[in-house]
Amino acid sequence: MLNGDVYDVRQSAAALCFPTEALIDGVSVAARDGTRFANISPGDGRCLGEVVAGNAVDIDAAVAAARAAFDDGRWRDQSVRAKKAVLHAFADTLAAHADELALLETLDTGKPIGDASTVDIPLAIDTTRYYAEALDKIYGEVAPPSPTRLSYAVNEPLGVIGAIVPWNFPLHMAMWKVAPALAMGNSVVLKPAEQSPMSAIRMGQLALEAGLPPGVLNVVPGTGEVAGQALARHMDVDMIAFTGSGVVGRLLMRYSADSNLKRVSLELGGKSPQIVFPDCPNFEAAAQAAAWAIFYNQGQVCTAASRLLVHCDVKADFVKRVIAVAKTIVPGDPLDPSTRFGAMISEAQMNTALRYIAIAEQEGAERLIGGSRVRQDSGGFYVEPTIFDAVNPNATLAREEVFGPVLGVIEFATDEQAFAIANDTVYGLAAGVWTASLERAHTAARRLKAGLVWVNGWDSCDITMPFGGFKQSGFGRDRSLHALAKYADLKAVTFTLGAAA
Ligand code: NAD
């Protein structure tokens, strides 16, 4: 279907059937009170359809279905071999519908179809396969043996997991939660972001087709305020696995405290620094990385390197290189396979980026490129790649997450100064350094307070490495085998031997 031709992509998009209903207990249903919301496509501002806006009653039904599925063991008690086969079939089914899912993702988010089809959907499938492969390799522990006692510790699934995900990588983020939660034997109620519900709903339908029993994975679209809050306050939900903003992360912890002390894992925002030292081994590669680390996905990436720290000796030349790359990143139609930079998720998010641009100018930063809304005739929400120089480390642009295509350049003179500026943030998600010195790189890796540190590359790891933040970037890890632990409780079992004698 996606053969690289604009016309074909458009035709395929026109032929798509948009998923709009909730999926509860294996059945596609409307909200009990009939409420729906308009699903706007950010590429051209048109309404793609009226999607179910779930409320507390719908969440209650989904949690009841998930609980029943967990308690009767229809998934949890299947053999590891059977569960593995179903998760592999699930990945195969996603792969068979990869083109459709990529189109849904692009129409829902405004991201380029090239990114959706080569990054978002393949990574969502990889995640599913990784946890399918992992699930029969999870062992417990046996305590040191004794003639009178046998003790072991075993991981048990928590029960009902509420997954609340954002809109920047809708299916990919959903699978970071859903796949390990299912691999551990849990049931799930997924609440996708209201801006991007379609791939999650379709994924739920495909899971059923692949053989996941009804009720094990439920998808309830709706607003965060209503559906998200109802899920996070629910007395029968054992855990909320969340990716999103710090503001909502704080609310989730309150909801947990006010309800049943459910576990909460939080993947939150960032203000990630990328540091270019004068001994950078490849300035051209670093400039490419500096530009794409902020402009990929229109800057709507939690790990976006929104602060570029450059040594004073190399700054002038390096910034020129970054500008040259940025000039090649031109906002375009998300459905055109040659587009590499699409629309922002919504009018509100576009206005947020424009507001931060105005604040940066008011606070005295020097705008080098970009700064405006473009492609307004399309009806969509586009902001051009924007770079500011001479950003004060205390300025708003250096401290607050924009979640848009806005880069701030900050100059430094010594390594100590670079580490101090890099760590002077409430966030701690990712950081990068460019240097030819092993010693400097190792020192940086130790000194930078971030959950992910990349040396001479940006975002250069994959599903095999844990993902998550330090400080106010959250806690708990997605990806890797470490992610499995948060969907389980550790039970210690002890047999006293010889009691019968
Ligand atoms: P958001 O926090 O507004 O929304 C995320 C999800 O939370 C959505 O599904 C939303 O409906 C829901 N929600 C909103 N209010 C809620 C409430 N009161 N109760 C329960 N749920 C509620 O975030 P966003 O704008 O969708 O996403 C952008 C943010 O996500 C940025 O801060 C970004 O850095 C962060 N993010 C982090 C990661 C990571 O892995 N660390 C990845 C992607 C995005």
Side-chain angles (χ1 to χ4, degrees):
M1 184 161 81
L2 297 180
N3 65 1
D5 186 278
V6 179
Y7 180 70
D8 272 51
V9 173
R10 289 207 162 283
Q11 265 205 333
S12 305
L16 270 184
C17 180
F18 296 132
T20 54
E21 309 302 289
L23 185 70
I24 299 178
D25 211 8
V27 181
S28 290
V29 289
R32 305 289 152 117
D33 70 359
T35 313
R36 290 180 180 269
F37 64 89
N39 186 24
I40 304 297
S41 185
D44 55 13
R46 81 188 151 111
C47 179
L48 295 171
E50 300 284 324
V51 174
V52 162
N55 63 21
V57 178
D58 306 300
I59 289 290
D60 222 21
V63 173
R67 174 60 59 191
F70 185 74
D71 285 350
D72 70 18
R74 73 186 79 159
W75 172 245
R76 172 181 57 154
D77 292 345
Q78 286 191 24
S79 69
V80 284
R81 182 169 292 206
K83 280 188 283 211
K84 182 175 179 165
V86 169
L87 286 193
H88 271 302
F90 184 15
D92 292 343
T93 311
L94 293 173
H97 291 81
D99 289 342
E100 175 193 352
L101 290 165
L103 277 171
L104 291 176
E105 214 71 309
T106 285
L107 290 169
D108 237 357
T109 63
K111 66 173 64 205
I113 186 68
D115 289 350
S117 57
T118 62
V119 180
D120 290 68
I121 306 308
L123 291 183
I125 296 165
D126 275 3
T127 302
T128 312
R129 284 201 204 290
Y130 179 88
Y131 290 106
E133 276 305 319
L135 75 78
D136 59 358
K137 298 167 189 73
I138 305 161
Y139 289 81
E141 292 166 359
V142 180
S146 139
T148 57
R149 214 165 54 193
L150 172 67
S151 294
Y152 62 86
V154 64
N155 281 302
E156 288 204 348
L158 286 175
V160 176
I161 308 298
I164 302 180
V165 295
W167 41 260
N168 57 345
F169 297 93
L171 187 64
H172 189 194
M173 292 298 105
M175 294 320 294
W176 276 11
K177 319 289 188 204
V178 169
L182 292 179
M184 287 306 297
N186 297 283
S187 298
V188 178
V189 177
L190 170 65
K191 208 296 283 174
E194 47 272 53
Q195 297 86 346
S196 58
M198 295 197 301
S199 59
I201 300 172
R202 188 70 185 115
M203 176 271 287
Q205 296 168 347
L206 295 172
L208 276 178
E209 267 181 54
L212 193 71
V216 175
L217 172 59
N218 306 273
V219 184
V220 183
T223 65
E225 265 288 288
V226 177
Q229 178 166 188
L231 186 60
R233 285 188 182 277
H234 204 287
M235 293 298 287
D236 207 20
V237 170
D238 298 288
M239 180 205 179
I240 291 289
F242 176 71
T243 294
S245 63
V247 173
V248 175
R250 282 184 161 79
L251 288 176
L252 297 177
M253 293 189 73
R254 267 185 222 131
Y255 300 159
S256 166
D258 290 346
S259 56
N260 60 344
L261 284 178
K262 57 179 68 65
R263 286 148 184 73
V264 176
S265 80
L266 303 177
E267 296 283 3
L268 307 176
K271 194 76 208 172
S272 300
Q274 181 151 222
I275 308 174
V276 180
F277 288 105
D279 64 346
C280 170
N282 184 336
F283 282 104
E284 192 43 42
Q288 288 282 343
W292 282 108
I294 179 67
F295 299 134
Y296 185 73
N297 210 41
Q298 299 70 248
Q300 304 164 128
V301 182
C302 53
T303 52
S306 50
R307 292 184 297 152
L308 177 61
L309 278 55
V310 192
H311 191 272
C312 51
D313 288 352
V314 294
K315 199 192 93 181
D317 176 64
F318 187 71
V319 169
K320 266 190 217 148
R321 287 177 189 263
V322 179
I323 290 173
V325 180
K327 282 185 174 160
T328 68
I329 303 173
V330 181
D333 176 0
L335 284 174
D336 180 340
S338 68
T339 294
R340 297 187 70 199
F341 184 98
M344 299 198 67
I345 186 72
S346 62
E347 190 166 14
Q349 194 66 20
M350 175 185 72
N351 288 335
T352 299
L354 294 172
R355 195 176 68 244
Y356 274 109
I357 289 169
I359 291 173
E361 289 196 315
Q362 281 156 23
E363 293 184 356
E366 183 191 342
R367 184 156 52 81
L368 300 177
I369 185 173
S372 302
R373 178 179 186 181
V374 290
R375 305 193 82 246
Q376 200 156 349
D377 290 353
S378 68
F381 315 122
Y382 299 81
V383 174
E384 51 188 351
T386 303
I387 302 178
F388 282 96
D389 196 1
V391 175
N392 186 311
N394 292 318
T396 307
L397 187 61
R399 308 203 76 81
E400 295 185 16
E401 184 184 41
V402 177
F403 223 57
V406 189
L407 175 65
V409 180
I410 302 173
E411 183 177 299
F412 69 89
T414 66
D415 290 22
E416 280 309 310
Q417 204 184 359
F419 299 146
I421 295 171
N423 287 333
D424 184 18
T425 166
V426 297
Y427 296 112
L429 190 52
V433 291
W434 290 81
T435 174
S437 158
L438 195 58
E439 196 175 329
R440 181 178 260 155
H442 185 57
T443 304
R446 282 191 304 114
R447 296 284 301 278
L448 292 169
K449 293 180 188 152
L452 300 137
V453 176
W454 295 307
V455 176
N456 296 337
W458 188 262
D459 202 2
S460 45
C461 57
D462 60 18
I463 183 72
T464 60
M465 289 295 285
F467 184 104
F470 286 11
K471 302 196 283 182
Q472 290 182 34
S473 290
F475 48 83
R477 291 292 180 269
D478 284 324
R479 299 198 313 205
S480 82
L481 298 179
H482 292 282
L484 292 163
K486 71 185 184 197
Y487 299 105
D489 253 345
L490 201 53
K491 181 179 277 180
V493 180
T494 298
F495 289 64
T496 299
L497 306 176

